[in-house]
Amino acid sequence: MFKAPLLYGMYGIHLARNDKENFAMNNLNLFFEPDSIALIGATEGMKFGYVATKCLLDSKFKIYLVNPNEKEIMGVETYKSVLDIQDDIDLAVIMIPARFVLTAVKECAEKGIKAIIIESAGFSEIGEDGRRLEEEIVEISRKNGMRIIGPNCLGVLDTHSSLSTTGMSTNSLKRGQISVITQSGMLGNILTEWMPSQNVGLSKVISIGNKCDVDEVDLLEYLGNDDRTKVITMYLEGTKDGRRFLDAAKKVTKRKPVLIVKGGRSVEGAQTTASHTGSMAGEDRVYESMFKQAGIIRVDDFEELFSFAKTFEYQPLPKSNRIAIITTSGSLAVLACDECAVQGLKLPKLSEEGINDLKMEVPDWVSVKNPLDLGPSMNYWSPIETILKDENVDSLLVIMVAPLESFGGKDVIDAMFLSLREVLSDQGGKTVLFCTIGDPNLTIKNARENLERYNIPVFTSSPSAVRGIAALYRYKRYLERCKVVDSQESNH
């Protein structure tokens, strides 16, 4: 069993919360849908704060700029302190040197601001002096009913409200139902910049940094109740309260999937997390046990994290572990079959009816079995429809490799994906994934534009696609176990 004390209070900053304090879930909505924002550290100089200043001023929100050294920034009046602002402020974003942050937080408390994002670095991640400063800030927030994200972070991005304190505009992003929690600030922006090329539909991105107050558990609970989030993804280096994390995750995963990339597996990686975000990674086997108990899907890298997230967003959970594979590449099918064995997925024999139908649909040189290797036959559509109707199959992986020159150029590829989209539009409630390899700006981009618009996720690795189906199936089994346990508990 998971021993929560192994992960308790490693820095002594994250204070205990209880019902009497009524503090844990104070309105986090202010971080995502504020009416007014004070930017403390606004600047038009090319330094930290410039991009965020420009981005916020270009937004629809009411922005108040705070800088005691300037009367005007980018043509907008500035204030020496938030105390000089006459209107109420919902959210303060602090982007000033660490030595000035404590005073700014005290002024926010006096102003009655209830939500603060501290993007400044120089706190617990640098050592004892920074840790003490961070503790003082937490103490002020507790006494005044404030919530704080950070420090040492890049804040939040919400594609639905169009808010971004990260310096990145939401205009270029695809709006969707995948939310991201990350301890690393810069990583959040890098991933957000990369996601449009992967056709990932985002809801929210939250960088929590040192998480002196609002942490991954608060956000798990919040996103678990967020109607605009269907899948929760996370980059986690460590948690300061293992039992609280486990309890929250168990509740959330009954409603929606949680996928995590966990850093700090090795001794060297764990040591690096302490200087990165002030976290202690803890023993990896403890986290592995905790993830399994809570039904969390653990993945090894960010490409799979978001490929799997799209799969959970787009596809139904498979009814069983029975998978069929249709391929134009024998080698990619071999790799997929190997991964099926590793993941515990079965390649069933097709039904007699299905085999008979396929024999009439494919050239006589095609061996009719599972996996079905169609090679260069160019006759894909009828076999796909037939296998989707097969009673022995609950998931389908379509592997299609289409070299542009030998297949007749871009126009032929465009027509091929268009036809494939039409065939796959009726999945019959079954899980369907697509895999291809080729030019990222032609073949793969075209596949994503044609298929993912209609909820067919595109992978560029056949073993990864198999792991995606396996993740869906494991999550389905977890939900079934939860129902049994809940039923047993309700009968006692």
Side-chain angles (χ1 to χ4, degrees):
M1 289 292 291
F2 169 69
K3 302 297 185 182
L6 286 172
L7 299 176
Y8 280 161
M10 293 183 174
Y11 271 90
I13 295 173
H14 203 292
L15 306 182
R17 299 185 176 107
N18 54 47
D19 290 337
K20 288 184 178 180
E21 291 177 276
N22 192 24
F23 198 80
M25 289 303 293
N26 276 2
N27 203 352
L28 295 184
N29 281 331
L30 291 175
F31 288 108
F32 304 101
E33 298 180 9
D35 290 327
S36 55
I37 303 170
L39 177 56
I40 303 172
T43 180
E44 58 185 352
M46 296 301 292
K47 57 183 179 180
F48 180 61
Y50 168 78
V51 178
T53 302
K54 189 175 186 306
C55 184
L56 285 171
L57 287 177
D58 288 341
S59 73
K60 67 178 183 180
F61 298 92
K62 180 63 176 175
I63 307 298
Y64 298 87
L65 305 182
V66 178
N67 187 322
N69 302 316
E70 302 289 344
K71 293 183 179 180
E72 184 180 280
I73 291 176
M74 300 182 189
V76 177
E77 176 189 6
T78 64
Y79 299 85
K80 293 184 180 299
S81 163
V82 292
L83 298 176
D84 297 327
I85 301 171
Q86 297 299 310
D87 298 331
D88 292 336
I89 301 296
D90 289 332
L91 172 65
V93 181
I94 298 177
M95 308 183 72
I96 55 179
R99 64 184 183 276
F100 301 123
V101 170
L102 183 60
T103 298
V105 171
K106 290 178 178 177
E107 291 178 349
C108 287
E110 186 176 345
K111 177 67 177 173
I113 299 172
K114 297 303 181 184
I116 301 176
I117 297 172
I118 303 175
E119 301 198 9
S120 314
F123 295 89
S124 61
E125 81 278 5
I126 67 167
E128 185 62 25
D129 290 343
R131 186 184 69 83
R132 284 196 296 267
L133 178 58
E134 197 169 296
E135 286 179 330
E136 288 187 68
I137 291 169
V138 171
E139 189 66 26
I140 292 170
S141 74
R142 297 275 187 245
K143 288 179 178 178
N144 292 277
M146 307 158 71
R147 301 308 310 264
I148 297 177
I149 289 179
N152 186 29
C153 72
L154 286 177
V156 304
L157 181 149
D158 186 330
T159 63
H160 295 280
S161 69
S162 299
L163 172 65
S164 174
T165 71
T166 67
M168 294 191 66
S169 171
T170 62
N171 293 337
S172 63
L173 301 176
K174 178 183 176 182
R175 186 177 295 172
Q177 295 180 294
I178 297 171
S179 286
V180 184
I181 305 168
T182 174
Q183 281 188 248
S184 172
M186 191 59 67
L187 176 65
N189 270 14
I190 292 170
L191 291 176
T192 303
E193 188 176 74
W194 171 68
M195 285 177 198
S197 70
Q198 306 302 302
N199 201 34
V200 176
L202 285 172
S203 179
K204 295 173 175 65
V205 179
I206 310 104
S207 161
I208 55 178
N210 296 5
K211 53 183 181 177
C212 74
D213 173 36
V214 175
D215 63 9
E216 66 283 346
V217 182
D218 294 315
L219 292 166
L220 263 181
E221 293 172 339
Y222 179 82
L223 295 173
N225 292 306
D226 178 27
D227 292 338
R228 291 171 172 171
T229 296
K230 185 176 180 181
V231 184
I232 300 170
T233 66
M234 185 184 303
Y235 170 69
L236 183 69
E237 292 181 354
T239 186
K240 296 173 181 176
D241 190 336
R243 173 55 60 188
R244 183 168 162 261
F245 180 92
L246 179 60
D247 290 344
K250 282 182 175 180
K251 294 176 183 177
V252 172
T253 53
K254 291 179 182 180
R255 299 193 297 272
K256 57 189 70 174
V258 177
L259 288 68
I260 290 182
V261 172
K262 168 68 175 65
R265 283 188 168 188
S266 65
V267 173
E268 293 80 4
Q271 290 172 345
T272 302
T273 65
S275 61
H276 181 213
T277 58
S279 293
M280 291 295 287
E283 292 188 40
D284 190 70
R285 61 182 178 83
V286 177
Y287 283 95
E288 187 70 29
S289 173
M290 181 164 58
F291 294 161
K292 287 181 179 178
Q293 287 185 56
I296 291 170
I297 295 100
R298 184 175 187 173
V299 296
D300 293 331
D301 59 59
F302 294 108
E303 185 167 358
E304 281 205 349
L305 179 69
F306 295 111
S307 293
F308 287 13
K310 285 192 292 186
T311 303
F312 275 98
E313 182 183 16
Y314 294 159
Q315 287 293 303
L317 299 179
K319 295 177 182 178
S320 76
N321 62 345
R322 301 179 303 174
I323 177 176
I325 298 172
I326 294 180
T327 185
T328 63
S329 167
S331 57
L332 294 184
V334 169
L335 295 176
C337 290
D338 287 344
E339 193 63 30
C340 285
V342 173
Q343 298 297 328
L345 299 181
K346 294 182 179 180
L347 290 157
K349 182 180 178 181
L350 302 175
S351 67
E352 289 300 322
E353 180 181 358
I355 291 173
N356 291 334
D357 288 344
L358 287 170
K359 285 181 177 179
M360 293 186 292
E361 295 166 351
V362 302
D364 54 14
W365 50 263
V366 172
S367 178
V368 177
K369 61 181 181 178
N370 184 20
L372 181 66
D373 186 354
L374 297 172
S377 67
M378 297 296 288
N379 180 18
Y380 312 127
W381 324 130
S382 295
I384 289 174
E385 290 178 323
T386 297
I387 288 183
L388 280 174
K389 294 175 183 176
D390 196 299
E391 61 183 10
N392 291 347
V393 173
D394 292 305
S395 299
L396 173 63
L397 172 59
V398 179
I399 304 172
M400 189 171 292
V401 182
L404 286 175
E405 288 189 18
S406 58
F407 268 67
K410 184 177 182 301
D411 291 342
V412 173
I413 298 297
D414 288 346
M416 183 177 70
F417 284 131
L418 180 61
S419 299
L420 183 62
R421 182 186 77 195
E422 293 173 354
V423 170
L424 294 177
S425 62
D426 182 11
Q427 301 173 209
K430 298 184 179 183
T431 306
V432 178
L433 274 64
F434 181 80
C435 175
T436 190
I437 297 175
D439 188 327
N441 296 316
L442 289 173
T443 306
I444 295 171
K445 182 181 179 182
N446 190 300
R448 287 188 170 130
E449 288 176 350
N450 275 286
L451 300 180
E452 292 188 346
R453 185 182 304 172
Y454 295 88
N455 294 341
I456 307 297
V458 174
F459 283 73
T460 58
S461 158
S462 59
S464 181
V466 169
R467 289 191 291 271
I469 293 175
L472 264 66
Y473 179 63
R474 286 197 301 272
Y475 183 62
K476 189 237 185 203
R477 292 291 304 276
Y478 168 76
L479 293 179
E480 289 174 340
R481 291 194 299 271
C482 288
K483 288 180 181 178
V484 171
V485 172
D486 289 346
S487 176
Q488 290 173 342
E489 290 178 350
S490 65
N491 291 330
H492 286 289

